[in-house]
Amino acid sequence: MKYFSPEAETLSQDAVKALQNQRLQAIVQYVLKHNDYYRKKYADAGLSDAGSVRSLDQLPLLPTISKEDFRKTYPFGMCCVPQSELREMHQSSGSTGTPVVMLYTAEDLEQWAECMARCYVMAGAEPGDAIQITPSFGLFNGGFGMYHGARKAGLFIVPTGSGNTERQVRIAKDFNTRIFTGVVSYAVRVLEVMREMKVTLPPLKIGVFGAESFSEGMRQRIESELGITAFDIYGMTETGGVGTLGQDCPLRCGLHVWEDHYIVEVLDPATGKVLPDGETGEVTITSLTRKALPVIRFRTGDLSKIVSREKCACGRTHLRIAPITGRTDDMLIIKGVNFFPKQVENALLEIPGVLTQYQIIIEEVHGVKDIRINVEAEEGVSGYMVEKHLKERLGFSPKGDVFRPGTLPRQEGKAQRVFYKN
Ligand code: DLL
């Protein structure tokens, strides 16, 4: 099976645009009809006639929304349906403590499953393949989203959830896991345990990983050590969860965004203006088909660019964005040099013998920010080697401390890589 929904995934670009225009108009009218918060927001922005937005070129007239809007309206303030129509919720917690909530009707769950099933099939999943779902089944959208999609794609679900890594490895072996899914850093953790247990998993072929930015170096490590092809799956609580926004195909030429369900804009983070294709900015999403809580111009905080609107050689026609570089709020500026944690990761993994666990420690020495890298490595790698390579690749000179394998702390969910110390 090559496509889960051949017709939708290979619509001509003109047909995609026509569908988006029609769905955009409908969703704007829908939120204005069913939600006071959107109505007030648009009225406050002086848009008495927001409902007349008819096409994509008028989209930039509408105000953007952000996580702030979700937090202000917690838990039901952005909901467009009565509670009797809700069937599921998920939430993510952020730095402020007030969670961001996504609500789902039965139709929304179908839409989520459809997007996820397309991702699985794009990665090469076949009905009956054993899929091991390692994100937790709970408020985090990862576990359930992967589950709904796997049901839809007819896969054999092995719902381990997170934790008990040794058991994960045993189960993968016993149930012939072919598709391994999860948060990137947890996949790396499982890899380590496999190495310790000296287990190889012959049927394992596909990795579906996301929830964090990961460098090409990390992807290569995962692929070569597990002997799999690793796919980069994208989505978030506010757009309806994992996989809603798409994934890369085996040709690795960007993340295919499911454009019949979502409109992508890339905005200049400082001015909010739409950037031309090819320029990096803040990914901004409009959901076209969601009922309980649609987003219109949601500023995700994620940085990427549109790489192509041309048909991909895989046959899919929806536009492609570059893998996420980082978030608007995770760029680091040390001694005048700007960089993202992902760049440090890439540079570290170029050093032979360096392993996948690391920490970026930002400390203030006499009022000046400085950076220290703690990284696990095999015997023979010295702090000096790490410092020298990072200086060459990134243009600044952090202090590098090398740790023995297995000694830096691990997390079960998304990994914390950057630590601030005074
Ligand atoms: O992390 C959904 C997810 C689960 C995606 C499992 C993939 C796998 P949230 O907890 O709401 O949802 O976090 C969303 O995670 O805005 C990005 O900053 C980041 N993120 C998600 N996927 C990727 C990816 C899930 N493929 C936030 N690459 C997003 C880089 C990603 N960052």
Side-chain angles (χ1 to χ4, degrees):
M1 196 173 12
K2 195 172 170 195
Y3 309 110
F4 182 73
S5 291
E7 201 186 320
E9 292 175 56
T10 61
L11 273 182
S12 74
Q13 272 294 345
D14 285 349
V16 171
K17 287 287 149 302
L19 191 62
Q20 287 189 328
N21 282 336
Q22 176 212 324
R23 288 185 168 172
L24 173 62
Q25 185 180 357
I27 200 73
V28 173
Q29 286 173 4
Y30 176 85
V31 297
L32 284 170
K33 181 162 173 214
H34 296 287
N35 186 264
D36 289 342
Y37 186 75
Y38 267 112
R39 217 168 16 241
K40 180 164 182 324
K41 187 160 186 99
Y42 288 6
D44 290 349
L47 285 168
S48 51
D49 198 18
S52 68
V53 163
R54 304 230 174 283
S55 61
L56 291 167
D57 46 313
Q58 292 170 320
L59 183 57
L61 298 174
L62 299 176
T64 56
I65 59 168
S66 69
K67 279 187 190 293
E68 245 338 275
D69 295 274
F70 275 82
R71 294 200 166 113
K72 266 197 257 171
T73 57
Y74 174 87
F76 290 120
M78 281 171 68
C79 185
C80 292
V81 298
Q83 195 167 338
S84 57
E85 286 184 30
L86 296 178
R87 296 293 178 269
E88 195 166 313
M89 59 79 78
H90 287 282
Q91 72 177 39
S92 61
S93 43
S95 41
T96 64
T98 310
V100 162
V101 170
M102 179 43 65
L103 303 163
Y104 301 78
T105 63
E107 221 178 306
D108 293 333
L109 291 173
E110 270 299 304
Q111 185 261 10
W112 192 9
E114 160 79 24
C115 293
M116 272 303 305
R118 288 186 193 178
C119 294
Y120 288 145
V121 172
M122 181 154 62
E126 298 280 348
D129 279 348
I131 178 168
Q132 190 159 332
I133 300 179
T134 74
S136 62
F137 285 83
L139 290 173
F140 179 49
N141 65 75
F144 278 101
M146 290 181 163
Y147 173 83
H148 292 311
R151 287 281 310 254
K152 184 122 187 138
L155 307 180
F156 166 35
I157 296 167
V158 183
T160 49
S162 65
N164 200 337
T165 312
E166 290 193 9
R167 190 180 64 186
Q168 299 271 4
V169 174
R170 264 198 312 278
I171 286 183
K173 199 169 161 54
D174 294 345
F175 291 88
N176 301 317
T177 294
R178 182 160 184 270
I179 308 161
F180 193 85
T181 65
V183 173
V184 181
S185 42
Y186 192 60
V188 169
R189 174 85 193 106
V190 173
L191 259 181
E192 286 180 338
V193 175
M194 277 183 178
R195 224 182 288 136
E196 281 161 23
M197 292 169 71
K198 299 195 170 44
V199 175
T200 45
L201 298 168
L204 196 56
K205 285 284 174 300
I206 298 167
V208 175
F209 302 127
E212 308 175 304
S213 278
F214 58 119
S215 64
E216 194 43 40
M218 184 68 87
R219 169 157 27 197
Q220 280 166 14
R221 286 286 171 102
I222 295 174
E223 291 197 327
S224 65
E225 292 184 27
L226 275 177
I228 58 167
T229 309
F231 292 85
D232 184 354
I233 191 163
Y234 184 44
M236 64 201 66
T237 308
E238 297 87 341
T239 59
V242 54
T244 48
L245 294 181
Q247 183 188 271
D248 50 2
C249 72
L251 300 170
R252 297 269 164 88
C253 45
L255 313 180
H256 291 262
V257 178
W258 305 125
E259 275 198 286
D260 49 339
H261 291 288
Y262 296 92
I263 297 173
V264 185
E265 297 170 280
V266 175
L267 305 189
D268 179 330
T271 64
K273 294 267 174 301
V274 179
L275 291 173
D277 290 2
E279 282 190 31
T280 298
E282 184 171 359
V283 176
T284 299
I285 299 292
T286 297
S287 60
L288 294 170
T289 50
R290 299 189 61 87
K291 291 287 178 283
L293 206 168
V295 288
I296 298 185
R297 306 199 81 212
F298 172 65
R299 291 180 68 150
T300 63
D302 293 334
L303 294 168
S304 180
K305 60 184 174 189
I306 292 173
V307 287
S308 177
R309 293 178 190 269
E310 298 301 313
K311 181 175 174 176
C312 176
C314 78
R316 290 177 183 81
T317 45
H318 301 202
L319 69 72
R320 284 167 274 148
I321 59 171
I324 307 302
T325 335
R327 292 186 50 81
T328 47
D329 46 13
D330 74 3
M331 188 173 76
L332 300 166
I333 307 177
I334 306 291
K335 295 180 176 163
V337 181
N338 303 4
F339 61 96
F340 287 99
K342 183 169 164 173
Q343 287 168 276
V344 175
E345 178 178 293
N346 223 357
L348 284 172
L349 292 175
E350 285 168 357
I351 307 169
V354 160
L355 302 172
T356 44
Q357 288 297 331
Y358 67 93
Q359 298 177 322
I360 301 173
I361 316 250
I362 313 287
E363 42 198 4
E364 249 181 65
V365 184
H366 308 305
V368 178
K369 268 199 206 145
D370 209 344
I371 177 172
R372 188 154 52 84
I373 308 287
N374 292 339
V375 64
E376 289 183 5
E378 287 161 0
E379 204 103 11
V381 179
S382 68
Y384 173 71
M385 286 158 73
V386 171
E387 287 165 17
K388 187 164 170 287
H389 188 74
L390 289 183
K391 173 104 204 276
E392 275 166 26
R393 299 291 277 116
L394 301 172
F396 61 85
S397 208
K399 191 167 160 3
D401 284 327
V402 171
F403 290 70
R404 288 301 125 226
T407 52
L408 288 177
R410 269 93 172 133
Q411 291 97 22
E412 280 191 355
K414 303 191 188 204
Q416 189 184 353
R417 301 293 193 191
V418 182
F419 298 82
Y420 289 87
K421 291 213 167 124
N422 280 324

